[in-house]
Amino acid sequence: MNIRDLLPSFGSTVDNIDMRTLSVSERAELKKALNERGVLVIREQSLSAAELLEVGRKFGLVEYTVRGDFQHPDVPDVYVISNIVEDGKPLGNPNDGFAWHTDLSFLENPTAFTFLYAIETPPVGANTEFASTQVAYDRLPPAQQDEFDHIRVRHSYEMLHATRRNAAPLSAEELQRMPDVIHPLVRTHPDTARKALYLGLNTSLPVGMDPEEGQKLIEDLMARTTINGPVYSHEWQPGDLVIWDNRLMLHRATDYDKKAYRRLMYRVTVKGERPF
Ligand code: OGA
Ligand code: MN
């Protein structure tokens, strides 16, 4: 196994590894790299849905997919992202993730690690982009770091759902299953003790602040992370596995020609601690 830096400030590329036969020491090395670098790019893998799930399980407790409609038919803990429709049935979710976000932040114990694996990828477009809220936090003036340390943010699945065009309204059962949660704006990584901003566009608003002002603050912090800060844009090839730590990274999907090209991705998410 060979680990090199992707960008100077975050990310690693891992070569010469087969994720199906990960040894205990390799796993420890990968976990360390993930803690410190936030995102790992691992190319040339060959994984079935069940094997991807096994990889996820080596990193923690795999959580149930939130949306039952896009589960893998044989391996329900694997979530499918795709624009492919077979016999009138979409194979996966074609629409989510195009705004900068961190996965399932609207849960009390949001996702720590996401494993995204490419089966079919368009020749152009459909990159996934990454930016580090840890780098953004480190760059803030100390007075602002102190100020933000005390702000709490409401994360809302209902708010996210409201941005989904043509979607049926959430059922009472879904609303009850996914109530809003409050997390600190600045969270501490449990393994490295480093601090990072924790926010998502369209899903989060500061508590006790005028909503317009709060929205502005979220957008401003987002811009500092994703415009003023470095961004890694991953160009997918079939067989790529990308793993990221949602506690210090933001990510987003980018567009592609959905009429011309097919995209098929499998995803597994591993539960994290309650943010602190
Ligand atoms: C995700 C996600 C982006 C993409 O799987 O959580 O945001 O490019 N995916 O599919
Ligand atoms: Mn996502």
Side-chain angles (χ1 to χ4, degrees), residues 77-276:
D77 286 342
V78 170
Y79 179 79
V80 181
I81 296 170
S82 184
N83 64 328
I84 303 170
V85 178
E86 263 170 20
D87 302 327
K89 192 184 176 304
L91 291 193
N93 185 350
N95 288 328
D96 274 358
F98 288 84
W100 286 105
H101 67 281
T102 166
D103 286 333
L104 309 194
S105 68
F106 42 78
L107 299 182
E108 253 183 51
N109 286 60
T111 310
F113 308 121
T114 302
F115 300 74
L116 191 58
Y117 178 67
I119 313 279
E120 277 188 74
T121 56
V124 286
N127 286 13
T128 307
E129 299 189 327
F130 296 90
S132 167
T133 54
Q134 197 170 67
V135 170
Y137 179 82
D138 286 346
R139 286 181 174 182
L140 291 171
Q144 262 183 335
Q145 289 181 338
D146 287 347
E147 182 194 334
F148 294 157
D149 270 340
H150 301 289
I151 294 180
R152 298 184 315 145
V153 175
R154 176 182 302 281
H155 291 253
S156 168
Y157 185 70
E158 196 181 0
M159 215 172 128
L160 170 67
H161 190 75
T163 68
R164 290 177 173 149
R165 267 174 294 159
N166 307 324
L170 287 179
S171 66
E173 185 273 326
E174 281 172 310
L175 272 175
Q176 202 189 352
R177 196 152 47 89
M178 246 96 63
D180 290 1
V181 294
I182 297 191
H183 297 312
L185 175 60
V186 176
R187 71 182 289 185
T188 305
H189 196 285
D191 295 320
T192 63
R194 288 185 63 187
K195 288 182 173 181
L197 299 169
Y198 192 60
L199 65 163
L201 218 50
N202 301 333
T203 53
S204 62
L205 269 187
V207 174
M209 210 181 266
D210 167 70
E212 228 171 88
E213 218 177 287
Q215 176 70 20
K216 264 207 205 126
L217 175 62
I218 297 290
E219 283 171 11
D220 174 53
L221 294 177
M222 217 28 116
R224 290 196 212 197
T225 310
T226 62
I227 298 172
N228 305 351
V231 169
Y232 169 68
S233 184
H234 185 70
E235 288 178 31
W236 290 95
Q237 287 164 14
D240 287 357
L241 173 66
V242 177
I243 312 174
W244 62 89
D245 187 334
N246 287 282
R247 299 168 297 188
L248 63 136
M249 300 301 302
L250 285 169
H251 64 281
R252 70 168 173 189
T254 65
D255 217 356
Y256 63 103
D257 187 339
K258 288 188 181 140
K259 293 214 173 73
Y261 305 125
R262 287 157 59 103
R263 185 175 197 242
L264 178 59
M265 316 285 286
Y266 289 166
R267 183 180 97 163
V268 165
T269 51
V270 164
K271 209 180 237 330
E273 72 289 349
R274 187 159 192 168
F276 62 89

